[in-house]
Amino acid sequence: MLKKIIIFVDEGFCWEDELAREFGIGKEELEPELDELCKKGYLKVIETNAKGMCAAGENMRDDAGVGRKFALTGKGKGFISRRL
């Protein structure tokens, strides 16, 4: 699964919600995998759009945000280039 996450991020699926949807799982299930890839240096968080941070106010906070946005690090890009 970790390899597939790196490949999906390389293909443009960068937000937690997008990745979870592609894998057919909830964000809560995917978060440990994403954290592991960050810890190992393959991914980095480049943006956070957390729930509760919506400028529209608290009434809309459940609809706001899609979690964290990820990008490949140099190590992650190296993994992709070795795959090709």
Side-chain angles (χ1 to χ4, degrees):
M1 180 181 215
L2 296 176
K3 291 177 185 178
K4 285 185 178 182
I5 291 172
I6 294 170
I7 293 165
F8 279 158
V9 171
D10 183 56
E11 291 175 351
F13 297 96
C14 301
W15 289 97
E16 274 179 309
D17 276 2
E18 292 176 321
L19 291 164
R21 193 172 27 254
E22 286 300 309
F23 282 101
I25 60 175
K27 274 190 346 185
E28 304 80 29
E29 296 174 71
L30 186 61
E31 284 177 1
E33 306 291 334
L34 293 168
D35 292 341
E36 181 70 20
L37 286 169
C38 287
K39 201 181 323 177
K40 289 182 175 184
Y42 290 98
L43 295 180
K44 62 183 173 184
V45 177
I46 58 169
E47 191 174 329
T48 302
N49 192 0
K51 290 187 178 218
M53 300 300 284
C54 181
E58 286 192 32
N59 291 339
M60 297 193 62
R61 73 175 173 203
D62 289 336
D63 297 326
V66 288
R68 300 174 288 176
K69 182 177 183 179
F70 294 89
L72 295 177
T73 62
K75 187 175 179 178
K77 290 176 185 175
F79 172 81
I80 293 296
S81 66
R82 284 190 306 272
R83 257 188 97 248
L84 300 175

